[in-house]
C-alpha cells in the first residue's frame, strides 16, 4: 500500500518547479460554467413552466438540475488538478491520483521511455500516451495501488520495466509532445 508519507497533489501544484499534466485551465472552467448554467436553466424552467401544475418532466428537470448544480457548486469541481495523473520536476516523476489527493514520487531515473502514439486500451478506452518505468516490486505495488490498477494490468515490457498508460492526456497531440518534451530528453 501507499505509505503515509506520500505527497499530496494539492501541494505539488503549488510548487513552481513541478509540471502537472492537467486539463487546460480556461477550457476546463468554461465547461464547468456551461454545465452549471445548463443545470440552473433546467431548474429555472421547471419552476417557471411548472408553476401551475408540476408534471413528471418538470420534476425530473427540477431534481436532476438541482442535483447537478449542487455537485458543480462544490469547490472541488472547479479544481482542474483533481483530474491529473502525472507530474514531474528535475529529479522526480510523480504518479498522481487527484481525486484522492495522493501522489507517489518516483526517481526520474526510473523513466525508460515515453510513447506518444495513441492506442486503444484493454477496456476500449483511448490511451493518450504511455511511460515505461523501471520499478522494484515494492514501487510497482505502490504505483498500482495509487492508480487503482490490478496487478495483471501492469504490462511488463522487460525485466523490472512496466508500461503505464495514461488515458487523460488533456492536450492536443502537438501540444502534448511539447509538454512531454522534457521527459523525452528533448
Amino acid at each position: 500500500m501507499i505509505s503515509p508519507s506520500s505527497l499530496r497533489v494539492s501541494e505539488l501544484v503549488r510548487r513552481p518547479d513541478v509540471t502537472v499534466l492537467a486539463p487546460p485551465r480556461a477550457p476546463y472552467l468554461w465547461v464547468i460554467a456551461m454545465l452549471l448554467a445548463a443545470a440552473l436553466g433546467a431548474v429555472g424552467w421547471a419552476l417557471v413552466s411548472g408553476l401551475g401544475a408540476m408534471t413528471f418532466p418538470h420534476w425530473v428537470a427540477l431534481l436532476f438540475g438541482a442535483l447537478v448544480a449542487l455537485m458543480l457548486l462544490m469547490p472541488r469541481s472547479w479544481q482542474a488538478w483533481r483530474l491529473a495523473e502525472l507530474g514531474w520536476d528535475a529529479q522526480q516523476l510523480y504518479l498522481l491520483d487527484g481525486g484522492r489527493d495522493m501522489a507517489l514520487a518516483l526517481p526520474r531515473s526510473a523513466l525508460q521511455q515515453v510513447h506518444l502514439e495513441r492506442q486503444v486500451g484493454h477496456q476500449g478506452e483511448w490511451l493518450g500516451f504511455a511511460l515505461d518505468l523501471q520499478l522494484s516490486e515494492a514501487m510497482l505495488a505502490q504505483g498500482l495501488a495509487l492508480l487503482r490498477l490490478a496487478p495483471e494490468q501492469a504490462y511488463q515490457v522487460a525485466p523490472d520495466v512496466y508500461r503505464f498508460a495514461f488515458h487523460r492526456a488533456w492536450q492536443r497531440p502537438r501540444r502534448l509532445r511539447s509538454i512531454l518534451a522534457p521527459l523525452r530528453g528533448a
Side-chain angles (χ1 to χ4, degrees):
M1 291 304 288
I2 298 170
S3 66
S5 63
S6 294
L7 299 168
R8 302 181 82 57
V9 180
S10 55
E11 296 167 359
L12 289 174
V13 296
R14 290 188 203 115
R15 290 183 24 198
D17 62 328
V18 175
T19 302
V20 174
L21 187 60
R25 187 168 177 78
Y28 175 78
L29 293 178
W30 183 83
V31 168
I32 295 293
M34 294 305 294
L35 288 172
L36 181 60
L40 292 175
V43 169
W45 172 82
L47 290 175
V48 171
S49 70
L51 193 57
M54 291 287 280
T55 62
F56 182 71
H58 293 104
W59 283 110
V60 170
L62 179 68
L63 292 176
F64 284 110
L67 181 64
V68 169
L70 286 174
M71 288 189 313
L72 291 173
L73 286 172
M74 290 194 286
R76 68 180 288 144
S77 297
W78 294 85
Q79 299 168 343
W81 60 263
R82 291 204 174 266
L83 299 175
E85 293 180 320
L86 181 68
W88 64 89
D89 60 19
Q91 291 83 27
Q92 294 183 319
L93 187 70
Y94 303 99
L95 297 178
L96 309 174
D97 184 351
R100 293 187 295 168
D101 197 15
M102 297 173 70
L104 176 66
L106 302 172
R108 188 82 178 258
S109 61
L111 179 63
Q112 300 296 305
Q113 192 170 2
V114 178
H115 302 278
L116 292 175
E117 56 278 348
R118 289 184 56 153
Q119 302 170 357
V120 178
H122 295 295
Q123 298 174 348
E125 75 278 15
W126 279 102
L127 303 174
F129 64 99
L131 303 178
D132 290 348
L133 301 173
Q134 185 174 12
L135 302 173
S136 66
E137 289 296 321
M139 291 302 286
L140 175 64
Q142 287 181 339
L144 291 174
L146 177 81
L147 299 175
R148 297 183 221 177
L149 298 174
E152 59 272 4
Q153 291 177 297
Y155 180 64
Q156 187 172 12
V157 295
D160 295 331
V161 178
Y162 300 90
R163 182 163 295 158
F164 284 81
F166 298 89
H167 59 277
R168 296 182 190 163
W170 303 118
Q171 311 290 335
R172 295 194 170 151
R174 183 176 293 152
R175 177 81 175 122
L176 183 63
R177 280 186 179 79
S178 67
I179 291 172
L180 293 177
L183 292 180
R184 299 181 81 201

